[in-house]
């Protein structure tokens, strides 16, 4: 399968690398990109030759969150249209979270919004020590809705509440302390740290790995259609209020929103 916004390669060991490949956009997510990622994950998950998936990005950023054109389109969309677009992100995250192959995140740069969500659906994520992170939605009058179930599952409520609502930017060291990253390493050490996570899986029975991952997911917080529908509905509700239109408009008009002090 060919893709326009991502690339997929695999080595002789069965280690696949899925690369977010819009470096000029800091790998910001659009609905179409989410669908490409979901399709690639489904293909890799069903391929018996693939043992591990490494998820990374091209360029300076791992993922800057939502694409600006995608966000702009939501300003005039109907609730149904907003729900359909939010569902594309939700379905992509669900696909990664339930992929039967282990997914190792290789965060070579910044992660904001949906990028944090993608790190949280990796089974383990390694990031560079100079990267910055943030759940920046509330600055725009929005909420981290569709990524929310995965952020809470990874961090737990107490840790998540430290960064979930404030939109503050935090360093890789704190991302590791919160549980978003398993570790933060120097850029020159990133590939070796990722390989250290990948290599043990190649000595494991692939069916047992898949069954163990499925069991872990069943034992963890439930993230099913009802939870996903709730998160989408919460985002639509926020768009229907006064704050999201004001916050997004202020962003594009390069001014401070009405609530900013």
């Amino acid at each position: 399968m060919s893709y326009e916004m991502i690339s997929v390669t695999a080595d002789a060991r069965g280690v696949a690398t899925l690369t977010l490949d819009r470096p000029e956009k800091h790998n910001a997510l659009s609905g179409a990109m989410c669908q490409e990622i979901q399709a690639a994950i489904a293909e890799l998950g069903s391929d018996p030759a693939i043992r591990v998936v490494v998820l990374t990005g091209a360029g300076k950023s791992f993922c800057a969150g939502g694409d600006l054109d995608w966000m702009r389109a939501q300003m005039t969309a109907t609730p149904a249209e907003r729900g359909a677009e939010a569902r594309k992100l939700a379905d992509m995250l669900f696909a990664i979270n339930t992929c039967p192959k282990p997914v190792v995140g290789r965060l070579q740069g910044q992660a904001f919004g949906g990028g944090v969500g993608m790190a949280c659906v990796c089974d383990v994520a390694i990031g560079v020590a100079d990267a910055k992170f943030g759940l920046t939605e509330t600055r725009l009058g929005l909420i981290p809705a569709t990524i929310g179930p995965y952020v809470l599952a990874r961090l737990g409520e107490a840790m998540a509440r430290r960064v979930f609502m404030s939109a503050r930017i935090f360093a890789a060291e704190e991302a590791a302390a919160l549980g978003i990253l398993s570790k933060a390493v120097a850029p020159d050490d990133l590939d070796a740290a990722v390989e250290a996570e990948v290599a043990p899986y190649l000595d494991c029975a692939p069916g047992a790995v898949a069954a163990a991952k499925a069991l872990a997911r069943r034992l963890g917080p439930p993230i099913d259609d009802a939870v996903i529908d709730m998160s989408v509905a919460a985002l639509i509700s926020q768009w229907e209020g006064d704050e999201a239109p004001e916050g997004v408009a202020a962003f594009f008009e390069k001014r401070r929103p009405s609530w900013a002090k």
Side-chain angles (χ1 to χ4, degrees), residues 194-258:
V194 170
E195 178 61 24
E197 298 293 340
V198 167
Y201 286 113
L202 304 179
D203 290 327
C204 297
V209 169
K213 180 172 179 176
L215 178 61
R217 185 74 291 284
R218 289 198 300 272
L219 294 172
I223 302 175
D224 53 19
D225 283 341
V227 171
I228 293 170
D229 289 344
M230 179 271 290
S231 71
V232 171
L235 181 60
I236 294 171
S237 177
Q238 190 66 24
W239 268 109
E240 294 303 297
D242 296 330
E243 290 183 343
E246 163 63 9
V248 175
F251 176 81
F252 284 116
E253 294 166 12
K254 301 185 186 307
R255 61 173 175 83
R256 290 170 66 80
S258 59

Short mmCIF file of all heavy atoms in Angstrom, two decimals, residues 194-258:
data_model
loop_
_atom_site.label_atom_id
_atom_site.label_comp_id
_atom_site.label_asym_id
_atom_site.label_seq_id
_atom_site.Cartn_x
_atom_site.Cartn_y
_atom_site.Cartn_z
N VAL A 194 16.18 2.83 21.50
CA VAL A 194 15.05 2.19 20.83
C VAL A 194 15.37 0.73 20.53
O VAL A 194 14.55 -0.17 20.75
CB VAL A 194 14.67 2.96 19.55
CG1 VAL A 194 13.66 2.17 18.71
CG2 VAL A 194 14.09 4.33 19.91
N GLU A 195 16.57 0.47 20.03
CA GLU A 195 16.98 -0.91 19.72
C GLU A 195 16.97 -1.78 20.97
O GLU A 195 16.60 -2.96 20.92
CB GLU A 195 18.36 -0.91 19.08
CG GLU A 195 18.91 -2.30 18.78
CD GLU A 195 18.06 -3.10 17.80
OE1 GLU A 195 17.29 -2.51 17.00
OE2 GLU A 195 18.15 -4.35 17.84
N ALA A 196 17.31 -1.20 22.11
CA ALA A 196 17.30 -1.96 23.36
C ALA A 196 15.88 -2.38 23.75
O ALA A 196 15.70 -3.40 24.43
CB ALA A 196 17.92 -1.13 24.49
N GLU A 197 14.89 -1.62 23.33
CA GLU A 197 13.50 -2.00 23.57
C GLU A 197 13.00 -3.00 22.53
O GLU A 197 12.20 -3.88 22.83
CB GLU A 197 12.61 -0.76 23.54
CG GLU A 197 12.91 0.27 24.61
CD GLU A 197 12.61 -0.22 26.01
OE1 GLU A 197 11.82 -1.18 26.15
OE2 GLU A 197 13.17 0.34 26.96
N VAL A 198 13.49 -2.88 21.30
CA VAL A 198 13.04 -3.74 20.20
C VAL A 198 13.60 -5.15 20.32
O VAL A 198 12.89 -6.15 20.17
CB VAL A 198 13.45 -3.12 18.85
CG1 VAL A 198 13.28 -4.13 17.70
CG2 VAL A 198 12.64 -1.86 18.56
N ALA A 199 14.89 -5.25 20.58
CA ALA A 199 15.60 -6.54 20.47
C ALA A 199 15.00 -7.67 21.30
O ALA A 199 14.89 -8.80 20.81
CB ALA A 199 17.07 -6.34 20.82
N PRO A 200 14.58 -7.43 22.56
CA PRO A 200 14.05 -8.57 23.33
C PRO A 200 12.83 -9.24 22.71
O PRO A 200 12.65 -10.45 22.86
CB PRO A 200 13.70 -7.93 24.68
CG PRO A 200 14.60 -6.74 24.79
CD PRO A 200 14.71 -6.23 23.39
N TYR A 201 12.03 -8.47 21.98
CA TYR A 201 10.84 -9.06 21.37
C TYR A 201 11.18 -10.10 20.31
O TYR A 201 10.39 -11.01 20.04
CB TYR A 201 9.97 -7.97 20.73
CG TYR A 201 9.21 -7.13 21.72
CD1 TYR A 201 9.51 -5.78 21.88
CD2 TYR A 201 8.19 -7.67 22.49
CE1 TYR A 201 8.82 -5.00 22.79
CE2 TYR A 201 7.49 -6.90 23.40
CZ TYR A 201 7.81 -5.56 23.54
OH TYR A 201 7.11 -4.79 24.44
N LEU A 202 12.36 -9.97 19.72
CA LEU A 202 12.73 -10.88 18.64
C LEU A 202 13.08 -12.27 19.16
O LEU A 202 13.20 -13.21 18.38
CB LEU A 202 13.89 -10.29 17.84
CG LEU A 202 13.61 -8.89 17.26
CD1 LEU A 202 14.84 -8.39 16.51
CD2 LEU A 202 12.38 -8.88 16.37
N ASP A 203 13.22 -12.40 20.48
CA ASP A 203 13.45 -13.71 21.10
C ASP A 203 12.17 -14.27 21.71
O ASP A 203 12.19 -15.36 22.31
CB ASP A 203 14.51 -13.59 22.20
CG ASP A 203 15.90 -13.34 21.64
OD1 ASP A 203 16.18 -13.84 20.54
OD2 ASP A 203 16.68 -12.63 22.30
N CYS A 204 11.06 -13.56 21.57
CA CYS A 204 9.79 -13.98 22.17
C CYS A 204 8.89 -14.62 21.13
O CYS A 204 8.97 -14.29 19.93
CB CYS A 204 9.07 -12.78 22.79
SG CYS A 204 9.96 -12.00 24.15
N ALA A 205 7.99 -15.49 21.58
CA ALA A 205 6.98 -16.07 20.69
C ALA A 205 6.00 -14.99 20.28
O ALA A 205 5.37 -14.37 21.15
CB ALA A 205 6.26 -17.21 21.39
N PRO A 206 5.86 -14.70 18.99
CA PRO A 206 5.02 -13.58 18.58
C PRO A 206 3.56 -13.73 18.99
O PRO A 206 2.91 -12.73 19.34
CB PRO A 206 5.18 -13.53 17.06
CG PRO A 206 5.73 -14.86 16.68
CD PRO A 206 6.53 -15.34 17.85
N GLY A 207 3.04 -14.95 18.98
CA GLY A 207 1.66 -15.15 19.42
C GLY A 207 1.49 -14.86 20.89
O GLY A 207 0.48 -14.28 21.32
N ALA A 208 2.48 -15.24 21.68
CA ALA A 208 2.42 -14.98 23.12
C ALA A 208 2.53 -13.48 23.40
O ALA A 208 1.87 -12.96 24.31
CB ALA A 208 3.54 -15.73 23.83
N VAL A 209 3.37 -12.79 22.63
CA VAL A 209 3.48 -11.33 22.79
C VAL A 209 2.13 -10.68 22.52
O VAL A 209 1.66 -9.82 23.29
CB VAL A 209 4.56 -10.76 21.85
CG1 VAL A 209 4.50 -9.24 21.82
CG2 VAL A 209 5.95 -11.21 22.30
N ALA A 210 1.48 -11.09 21.43
CA ALA A 210 0.18 -10.51 21.09
C ALA A 210 -0.86 -10.82 22.16
O ALA A 210 -1.66 -9.95 22.53
CB ALA A 210 -0.28 -11.04 19.73
N ALA A 211 -0.85 -12.06 22.67
CA ALA A 211 -1.83 -12.44 23.70
C ALA A 211 -1.57 -11.70 25.00
O ALA A 211 -2.51 -11.28 25.69
CB ALA A 211 -1.77 -13.95 23.93
N ALA A 212 -0.28 -11.52 25.35
CA ALA A 212 0.05 -10.79 26.57
C ALA A 212 -0.36 -9.33 26.46
O ALA A 212 -0.88 -8.74 27.43
CB ALA A 212 1.55 -10.90 26.85
N LYS A 213 -0.17 -8.73 25.29
CA LYS A 213 -0.57 -7.33 25.09
C LYS A 213 -2.08 -7.20 25.19
O LYS A 213 -2.60 -6.27 25.82
CB LYS A 213 -0.07 -6.81 23.75
CG LYS A 213 -0.46 -5.37 23.47
CD LYS A 213 0.21 -4.82 22.24
CE LYS A 213 -0.22 -3.39 21.97
NZ LYS A 213 0.49 -2.79 20.81
N ALA A 214 -2.81 -8.13 24.57
CA ALA A 214 -4.27 -8.09 24.65
C ALA A 214 -4.75 -8.25 26.09
O ALA A 214 -5.71 -7.59 26.51
CB ALA A 214 -4.87 -9.19 23.76
N LEU A 215 -4.09 -9.11 26.86
CA LEU A 215 -4.47 -9.29 28.25
C LEU A 215 -4.21 -8.02 29.05
O LEU A 215 -5.05 -7.61 29.86
CB LEU A 215 -3.69 -10.46 28.86
CG LEU A 215 -3.94 -10.73 30.35
CD1 LEU A 215 -5.41 -11.08 30.59
CD2 LEU A 215 -3.03 -11.84 30.86
N ALA A 216 -3.05 -7.40 28.84
CA ALA A 216 -2.75 -6.15 29.53
C ALA A 216 -3.81 -5.10 29.23
O ALA A 216 -4.24 -4.35 30.13
CB ALA A 216 -1.36 -5.65 29.12
N ARG A 217 -4.25 -5.04 27.99
CA ARG A 217 -5.25 -4.06 27.61
C ARG A 217 -6.59 -4.36 28.29
O ARG A 217 -7.30 -3.44 28.72
CB ARG A 217 -5.41 -4.06 26.08
CG ARG A 217 -6.34 -3.00 25.52
CD ARG A 217 -5.76 -1.59 25.54
NE ARG A 217 -5.61 -1.03 26.89
CZ ARG A 217 -6.60 -0.56 27.63
NH1 ARG A 217 -7.84 -0.57 27.18
NH2 ARG A 217 -6.36 -0.07 28.82
N ARG A 218 -6.94 -5.65 28.42
CA ARG A 218 -8.20 -6.01 29.08
C ARG A 218 -8.14 -5.71 30.57
O ARG A 218 -9.15 -5.37 31.19
CB ARG A 218 -8.52 -7.49 28.87
CG ARG A 218 -8.93 -7.82 27.44
CD ARG A 218 -9.66 -9.15 27.36
NE ARG A 218 -8.83 -10.26 27.84
CZ ARG A 218 -8.00 -10.96 27.08
NH1 ARG A 218 -7.84 -10.64 25.80
NH2 ARG A 218 -7.31 -11.96 27.58
N LEU A 219 -6.97 -5.84 31.17
CA LEU A 219 -6.82 -5.60 32.60
C LEU A 219 -6.72 -4.11 32.93
O LEU A 219 -6.92 -3.72 34.08
CB LEU A 219 -5.58 -6.33 33.13
CG LEU A 219 -5.64 -7.86 33.09
CD1 LEU A 219 -4.30 -8.45 33.46
CD2 LEU A 219 -6.73 -8.38 34.02
N GLY A 220 -6.39 -3.31 31.94
CA GLY A 220 -6.25 -1.87 32.15
C GLY A 220 -7.59 -1.17 32.06
O GLY A 220 -8.65 -1.80 31.92
N PRO A 221 -7.59 0.16 32.14
CA PRO A 221 -8.84 0.93 32.05
C PRO A 221 -9.56 0.63 30.73
O PRO A 221 -8.92 0.58 29.68
CB PRO A 221 -8.38 2.38 32.11
CG PRO A 221 -7.03 2.33 32.74
CD PRO A 221 -6.42 1.03 32.32
N PRO A 222 -10.87 0.41 30.76
CA PRO A 222 -11.58 0.10 29.52
C PRO A 222 -11.61 1.29 28.57
O PRO A 222 -11.94 2.41 28.98
CB PRO A 222 -13.00 -0.26 30.01
CG PRO A 222 -13.13 0.41 31.33
CD PRO A 222 -11.76 0.41 31.93
N ILE A 223 -11.21 1.05 27.34
CA ILE A 223 -11.33 2.07 26.28
C ILE A 223 -12.05 1.38 25.13
O ILE A 223 -11.46 0.71 24.29
CB ILE A 223 -9.96 2.60 25.84
CG1 ILE A 223 -9.21 3.19 27.03
CG2 ILE A 223 -10.14 3.67 24.75
CD1 ILE A 223 -7.79 3.64 26.70
N ASP A 224 -13.37 1.53 25.13
CA ASP A 224 -14.22 0.86 24.16
C ASP A 224 -15.03 1.90 23.39
O ASP A 224 -14.80 3.11 23.52
CB ASP A 224 -15.13 -0.16 24.84
CG ASP A 224 -15.92 0.46 26.00
OD1 ASP A 224 -16.05 1.70 26.07
OD2 ASP A 224 -16.42 -0.31 26.85
N ASP A 225 -15.98 1.44 22.59
CA ASP A 225 -16.78 2.37 21.79
C ASP A 225 -17.50 3.39 22.65
O ASP A 225 -17.61 4.57 22.27
CB ASP A 225 -17.80 1.60 20.95
CG ASP A 225 -17.18 0.93 19.73
OD1 ASP A 225 -16.06 1.33 19.34
OD2 ASP A 225 -17.80 0.00 19.17
N ALA A 226 -17.98 2.98 23.81
CA ALA A 226 -18.70 3.91 24.68
C ALA A 226 -17.78 5.02 25.17
O ALA A 226 -18.16 6.21 25.21
CB ALA A 226 -19.31 3.16 25.86
N VAL A 227 -16.57 4.66 25.56
CA VAL A 227 -15.61 5.67 26.03
C VAL A 227 -15.20 6.59 24.89
O VAL A 227 -15.12 7.81 25.05
CB VAL A 227 -14.38 4.97 26.65
CG1 VAL A 227 -13.28 5.98 26.95
CG2 VAL A 227 -14.78 4.24 27.92
N ILE A 228 -14.95 6.02 23.73
CA ILE A 228 -14.56 6.83 22.57
C ILE A 228 -15.69 7.76 22.17
O ILE A 228 -15.47 8.95 21.90
CB ILE A 228 -14.14 5.92 21.41
CG1 ILE A 228 -12.84 5.18 21.78
CG2 ILE A 228 -13.94 6.73 20.13
CD1 ILE A 228 -12.46 4.09 20.81
N ASP A 229 -16.92 7.25 22.12
CA ASP A 229 -18.07 8.10 21.79
C ASP A 229 -18.21 9.25 22.78
O ASP A 229 -18.53 10.38 22.41
CB ASP A 229 -19.36 7.27 21.77
CG ASP A 229 -19.44 6.33 20.58
OD1 ASP A 229 -18.67 6.51 19.62
OD2 ASP A 229 -20.27 5.40 20.62
N MET A 230 -17.98 8.97 24.06
CA MET A 230 -18.06 10.00 25.08
C MET A 230 -17.01 11.08 24.85
O MET A 230 -17.29 12.28 24.98
CB MET A 230 -17.91 9.39 26.47
CG MET A 230 -17.95 10.37 27.62
SD MET A 230 -16.31 11.01 28.04
CE MET A 230 -15.56 9.54 28.74
N SER A 231 -15.79 10.67 24.50
CA SER A 231 -14.73 11.64 24.27
C SER A 231 -15.03 12.52 23.05
O SER A 231 -14.77 13.73 23.07
CB SER A 231 -13.38 10.94 24.13
OG SER A 231 -13.28 10.24 22.91
N VAL A 232 -15.56 11.92 22.00
CA VAL A 232 -15.93 12.68 20.81
C VAL A 232 -17.06 13.66 21.13
O VAL A 232 -17.02 14.83 20.73
CB VAL A 232 -16.33 11.74 19.66
CG1 VAL A 232 -16.94 12.52 18.49
CG2 VAL A 232 -15.13 10.92 19.19
N ALA A 233 -18.05 13.20 21.88
CA ALA A 233 -19.17 14.07 22.25
C ALA A 233 -18.70 15.24 23.10
O ALA A 233 -19.19 16.37 22.96
CB ALA A 233 -20.23 13.27 23.00
N ALA A 234 -17.71 15.00 23.98
CA ALA A 234 -17.18 16.07 24.81
C ALA A 234 -16.49 17.12 23.96
O ALA A 234 -16.61 18.34 24.23
CB ALA A 234 -16.21 15.50 25.84
N LEU A 235 -15.78 16.70 22.93
CA LEU A 235 -15.12 17.66 22.05
C LEU A 235 -16.14 18.46 21.25
O LEU A 235 -16.01 19.69 21.13
CB LEU A 235 -14.17 16.92 21.10
CG LEU A 235 -13.40 17.81 20.12
CD1 LEU A 235 -12.53 18.81 20.87
CD2 LEU A 235 -12.55 16.96 19.19
N ILE A 236 -17.17 17.79 20.73
CA ILE A 236 -18.20 18.51 19.98
C ILE A 236 -18.88 19.54 20.88
O ILE A 236 -19.13 20.68 20.47
CB ILE A 236 -19.24 17.52 19.41
CG1 ILE A 236 -18.60 16.61 18.36
CG2 ILE A 236 -20.43 18.26 18.80
CD1 ILE A 236 -19.49 15.48 17.91
N SER A 237 -19.17 19.17 22.10
CA SER A 237 -19.81 20.08 23.04
C SER A 237 -18.94 21.31 23.28
O SER A 237 -19.45 22.44 23.35
CB SER A 237 -20.08 19.36 24.37
OG SER A 237 -20.64 20.24 25.32
N GLN A 238 -17.63 21.11 23.39
CA GLN A 238 -16.73 22.25 23.60
C GLN A 238 -16.72 23.18 22.39
O GLN A 238 -16.70 24.40 22.53
CB GLN A 238 -15.32 21.74 23.91
CG GLN A 238 -14.37 22.83 24.40
CD GLN A 238 -14.76 23.41 25.75
OE1 GLN A 238 -15.45 22.75 26.53
NE2 GLN A 238 -14.33 24.62 26.02
N TRP A 239 -16.75 22.61 21.20
CA TRP A 239 -16.81 23.41 19.99
C TRP A 239 -18.10 24.23 19.93
O TRP A 239 -18.12 25.35 19.38
CB TRP A 239 -16.73 22.52 18.76
CG TRP A 239 -15.36 22.30 18.21
CD1 TRP A 239 -14.63 21.15 18.26
CD2 TRP A 239 -14.54 23.26 17.53
NE1 TRP A 239 -13.41 21.33 17.65
CE2 TRP A 239 -13.33 22.62 17.19
CE3 TRP A 239 -14.73 24.59 17.16
CZ2 TRP A 239 -12.30 23.26 16.50
CZ3 TRP A 239 -13.70 25.24 16.48
CH2 TRP A 239 -12.51 24.58 16.16
N GLU A 240 -19.17 23.70 20.48
CA GLU A 240 -20.47 24.38 20.41
C GLU A 240 -20.58 25.54 21.39
O GLU A 240 -21.52 26.33 21.32
CB GLU A 240 -21.60 23.37 20.65
CG GLU A 240 -21.73 22.30 19.58
CD GLU A 240 -21.93 22.91 18.19
OE1 GLU A 240 -22.94 23.58 17.98
OE2 GLU A 240 -21.05 22.72 17.33
N GLY A 241 -19.65 25.66 22.32
CA GLY A 241 -19.67 26.77 23.26
C GLY A 241 -19.03 28.02 22.66
O GLY A 241 -18.74 28.10 21.46
N ASP A 242 -18.76 28.99 23.50
CA ASP A 242 -18.18 30.26 23.05
C ASP A 242 -16.67 30.24 23.01
O ASP A 242 -16.06 31.00 22.25
CB ASP A 242 -18.64 31.41 23.96
CG ASP A 242 -20.14 31.64 23.90
OD1 ASP A 242 -20.73 31.38 22.83
OD2 ASP A 242 -20.71 32.08 24.92
N GLU A 243 -16.05 29.41 23.84
CA GLU A 243 -14.61 29.50 24.01
C GLU A 243 -13.81 28.96 22.83
O GLU A 243 -12.82 29.58 22.42
CB GLU A 243 -14.19 28.78 25.29
CG GLU A 243 -14.63 29.50 26.55
CD GLU A 243 -14.16 28.80 27.81
OE1 GLU A 243 -13.78 27.61 27.73
OE2 GLU A 243 -14.18 29.45 28.87
N ALA A 244 -14.19 27.82 22.28
CA ALA A 244 -13.42 27.24 21.18
C ALA A 244 -13.40 28.16 19.96
O ALA A 244 -12.32 28.42 19.41
CB ALA A 244 -13.95 25.86 20.83
N PRO A 245 -14.55 28.67 19.51
CA PRO A 245 -14.49 29.59 18.36
C PRO A 245 -13.62 30.82 18.63
O PRO A 245 -12.87 31.25 17.75
CB PRO A 245 -15.96 29.98 18.16
CG PRO A 245 -16.72 28.82 18.70
CD PRO A 245 -15.93 28.36 19.89
N GLU A 246 -13.69 31.35 19.85
CA GLU A 246 -12.87 32.52 20.19
C GLU A 246 -11.39 32.15 20.24
O GLU A 246 -10.54 32.86 19.70
CB GLU A 246 -13.31 33.08 21.54
CG GLU A 246 -12.33 34.02 22.23
CD GLU A 246 -12.02 35.30 21.47
OE1 GLU A 246 -12.70 35.59 20.46
OE2 GLU A 246 -11.10 36.02 21.89
N GLY A 247 -11.07 31.03 20.87
CA GLY A 247 -9.67 30.64 21.00
C GLY A 247 -9.01 30.32 19.67
O GLY A 247 -7.88 30.74 19.41
N VAL A 248 -9.71 29.59 18.82
CA VAL A 248 -9.16 29.23 17.52
C VAL A 248 -9.05 30.46 16.62
O VAL A 248 -8.06 30.66 15.92
CB VAL A 248 -10.00 28.12 16.86
CG1 VAL A 248 -9.50 27.83 15.45
CG2 VAL A 248 -9.94 26.85 17.70
N ALA A 249 -10.08 31.34 16.67
CA ALA A 249 -10.03 32.57 15.88
C ALA A 249 -8.86 33.44 16.32
O ALA A 249 -8.13 34.00 15.49
CB ALA A 249 -11.34 33.34 16.02
N ALA A 250 -8.65 33.55 17.62
CA ALA A 250 -7.54 34.35 18.14
C ALA A 250 -6.21 33.79 17.66
O ALA A 250 -5.29 34.56 17.32
CB ALA A 250 -7.59 34.39 19.66
N PHE A 251 -6.10 32.48 17.63
CA PHE A 251 -4.86 31.84 17.17
C PHE A 251 -4.56 32.23 15.73
O PHE A 251 -3.44 32.64 15.41
CB PHE A 251 -4.98 30.33 17.32
CG PHE A 251 -3.81 29.57 16.78
CD1 PHE A 251 -2.65 29.43 17.53
CD2 PHE A 251 -3.85 29.00 15.52
CE1 PHE A 251 -1.56 28.74 17.04
CE2 PHE A 251 -2.76 28.31 15.01
CZ PHE A 251 -1.61 28.17 15.77
N PHE A 252 -5.55 32.12 14.87
CA PHE A 252 -5.32 32.44 13.46
C PHE A 252 -5.16 33.93 13.22
O PHE A 252 -4.48 34.34 12.27
CB PHE A 252 -6.46 31.87 12.61
CG PHE A 252 -6.37 30.39 12.41
CD1 PHE A 252 -7.35 29.54 12.91
CD2 PHE A 252 -5.31 29.82 11.73
CE1 PHE A 252 -7.27 28.18 12.73
CE2 PHE A 252 -5.22 28.45 11.54
CZ PHE A 252 -6.20 27.63 12.05
N GLU A 253 -5.77 34.73 14.06
CA GLU A 253 -5.64 36.20 13.93
C GLU A 253 -4.42 36.73 14.66
O GLU A 253 -4.19 37.95 14.68
CB GLU A 253 -6.92 36.86 14.46
CG GLU A 253 -8.15 36.55 13.61
CD GLU A 253 -9.46 36.90 14.30
OE1 GLU A 253 -9.42 37.60 15.35
OE2 GLU A 253 -10.52 36.51 13.79
N LYS A 254 -3.65 35.84 15.28
CA LYS A 254 -2.41 36.20 15.98
C LYS A 254 -2.66 37.26 17.06
O LYS A 254 -1.95 38.26 17.15
CB LYS A 254 -1.33 36.67 14.99
CG LYS A 254 -0.98 35.62 13.93
CD LYS A 254 0.17 36.08 13.08
CE LYS A 254 0.43 35.11 11.93
NZ LYS A 254 0.60 33.71 12.35
N ARG A 255 -3.69 37.02 17.83
CA ARG A 255 -4.01 37.90 18.97
C ARG A 255 -4.28 37.04 20.19
O ARG A 255 -4.41 35.82 20.10
CB ARG A 255 -5.24 38.76 18.65
CG ARG A 255 -6.50 37.96 18.37
CD ARG A 255 -7.72 38.86 18.22
NE ARG A 255 -8.90 38.11 17.83
CZ ARG A 255 -9.70 37.45 18.69
NH1 ARG A 255 -9.42 37.45 19.99
NH2 ARG A 255 -10.77 36.81 18.25
N ARG A 256 -4.34 37.67 21.34
CA ARG A 256 -4.64 36.96 22.57
C ARG A 256 -6.14 36.77 22.68
O ARG A 256 -6.92 37.69 22.39
CB ARG A 256 -4.11 37.73 23.77
CG ARG A 256 -2.59 37.72 23.84
CD ARG A 256 -2.04 38.67 24.88
NE ARG A 256 -2.39 38.28 26.24
CZ ARG A 256 -1.76 37.34 26.93
NH1 ARG A 256 -0.76 36.66 26.39
NH2 ARG A 256 -2.12 37.05 28.18
N PRO A 257 -6.61 35.58 23.11
CA PRO A 257 -8.05 35.37 23.29
C PRO A 257 -8.59 36.23 24.42
O PRO A 257 -7.82 36.75 25.24
CB PRO A 257 -8.15 33.88 23.61
CG PRO A 257 -6.83 33.53 24.17
CD PRO A 257 -5.83 34.38 23.48
N SER A 258 -9.88 36.37 24.48
CA SER A 258 -10.51 37.30 25.41
C SER A 258 -10.22 36.96 26.87
O SER A 258 -10.21 37.84 27.73
CB SER A 258 -12.03 37.30 25.19
OG SER A 258 -12.58 36.01 25.37
#
